[in-house]
Amino acid sequence: MSEQAVRMSEVGGVEVMTLNSISLEAPGAGQVRVRQHACGLNYIDIYHRSGLYPLPLPSGLGLEAAGVVETVGEGVTHLKVGDRVAYVSAATGAYATARVLAARELVRLPDALSFEQGAAMMLKGLTVQYLLRRTQPQGGLQAGDAVLFHAAAGGVGLMACQWAKAMGLRLIGTASTEAKCALALEHGASEMILYSQQDFAQRVRELTDGRGVKVVYDSVGASTWEGSLRSLAPLGLLVSFGNASGPVPPVALGQLAAAGSVYLTRPTLFTHLNQAGAAAAMAEDLFSMVLSGSVRIPMGQRYALADVQQAHRDMEARATTGSGVLLV
């Protein structure tokens, strides 16, 4: 059966993405075929398209989607035809009308969650889960602890604001406009810093009576690196998990000593998901937070699959808020 999928044969601008007809084979052992209803949009898709994160070419794009199991391969016992599912996969190719995937990558999507929510929440929501639950400083995080979260009005950031509030954390966020600061505050941030007009590291010190924060969660990269170090309390943890402004320059270990014997990590979601049993447990935690109302999915822009180029233009221009999706 002929399907449609976004493909690229070279890296570059949005023009390298084209909507192509493809043929899918029947699922093999341990695989399922999913009829997709919505595909998640994430900044990492731009890294893949531009070549910052190199892919073998030609390649598909997109890491997450939600839909319905259409065909089940041999040996698959935990899923059946008709199941509503969502996934995030290390293999690109989610921008498509249908897909064949390893069954272990899929989790059942609760009936109370829409396909759009499912597609928009897996990568960002599981990222927040591993950051706040699994990537913690010495002694862990307790209610009242202060953390700094950059890009707090983005898809990951808005979920993090809510999740941190549910944990009792004092989340100090940064954003580029007053409107984005207001949005993050509405979603649970304790304080916001307009980094385009303020020295965020200095402001963090003011807000914490000079102590600094226990953790900085930094997805911005090059432009925030120095300030993030200056925002940490002694023995704090800098979590660098993205490069929206470009990659972090090479690190001199002496910088960590000078910042107060701080810790530095560069984690990835898929390192966590590849641990035995982690995907199901992490998804259960995420779904529980959403279904309880502690975290709501901040749905943003919706685009047709054929409008993928415009979707990427908007993301690169920082003209989006919340979690965007491609509708199939």
Side-chain angles (χ1 to χ4, degrees):
M1 180 185 296
S2 180
E3 302 289 348
Q4 289 192 311
V6 173
R7 292 285 186 264
M8 65 177 193
S9 57
E10 60 182 334
V11 298
V14 298
E15 69 281 352
V16 303
M17 298 183 295
T18 59
L19 191 59
N20 297 351
S21 294
I22 62 168
S23 296
L24 289 181
E25 297 181 357
Q31 294 182 320
V32 299
R33 176 187 171 112
V34 179
R35 172 63 50 191
Q36 303 198 146
H37 288 254
C39 317
L41 288 164
N42 298 282
Y43 215 88
I44 193 173
D45 303 342
I46 293 173
Y47 297 161
H48 286 148
R49 191 205 73 219
S50 67
L52 179 62
Y53 291 177
L55 295 173
L57 296 173
S59 176
L61 283 171
L63 298 176
E64 65 178 344
V68 175
V69 174
E70 203 169 53
T71 313
V72 175
E74 182 183 353
V76 176
T77 58
H78 69 289
L79 294 172
K80 64 181 185 301
V81 173
D83 279 349
R84 301 172 79 251
V85 292
Y87 70 87
V88 56
S89 173
T92 57
Y95 293 0
T97 55
R99 198 172 181 197
V100 173
L101 292 152
R104 59 178 170 76
E105 296 184 296
L106 298 162
V107 296
R108 285 194 183 90
L109 184 66
D111 290 340
L113 298 174
S114 71
F115 291 119
E116 290 183 23
Q117 288 175 307
M121 73 189 297
M122 294 299 290
L123 180 57
K124 299 179 184 72
L126 292 177
T127 295
V128 173
Q129 200 278 343
Y130 92 75
L131 290 174
L132 294 182
R133 300 285 203 201
R134 292 167 159 252
T135 315
Q136 298 192 350
Q138 276 196 335
L141 288 170
Q142 288 81 40
D145 285 341
V147 304
L148 176 64
F149 208 102
H150 288 299
V156 171
L158 291 179
M159 290 189 201
C161 289
Q162 300 171 79
W163 203 308
K165 183 178 181 179
M167 292 173 64
L169 301 177
R170 180 187 179 192
L171 185 143
I172 301 170
T174 69
S176 59
T177 69
E178 291 183 357
K180 289 187 176 184
C181 285
L183 184 63
L185 288 169
E186 291 172 7
H187 282 75
S190 298
E191 291 96 7
M192 286 298 297
I193 300 170
L194 185 61
Y195 72 81
S196 58
Q197 297 182 16
Q198 297 173 291
D199 180 331
F200 72 81
Q202 178 180 332
R203 183 60 180 148
V204 165
R205 292 291 173 181
E206 294 170 355
L207 290 170
T208 60
D209 298 323
R211 294 187 301 273
V213 296
K214 291 185 74 171
V215 190
V216 177
Y217 296 105
D218 190 339
S219 63
V220 177
S223 68
T224 52
W225 165 253
E226 295 289 345
S228 291
L229 275 179
R230 290 190 287 116
S231 300
L232 283 169
L235 303 179
L237 172 64
L238 175 47
V239 184
S240 177
F241 69 102
N243 311 287
S245 68
V248 173
V251 178
L253 292 180
Q255 289 180 285
L256 306 183
S261 300
V262 300
Y263 295 81
L264 169 65
T265 185
R266 180 58 173 93
T268 71
L269 169 61
F270 296 107
T271 304
H272 288 272
L273 289 176
N274 286 339
Q275 304 304 305
M282 291 168 67
E284 182 179 359
D285 190 15
L286 171 61
F287 294 155
S288 175
M289 292 292 285
V290 174
L291 292 172
S292 71
S294 297
V295 174
R296 65 182 178 88
I297 308 305
M299 295 304 302
Q301 293 67 35
R302 295 165 173 83
Y303 305 86
L305 184 62
D307 294 330
V308 63
Q309 292 187 3
Q310 186 60 50
H312 274 227
R313 289 190 191 98
D314 290 348
M315 285 196 293
E316 287 183 298
R318 303 298 175 85
T320 62
T321 56
S323 302
V325 293
L326 298 171
L327 300 179
V328 178

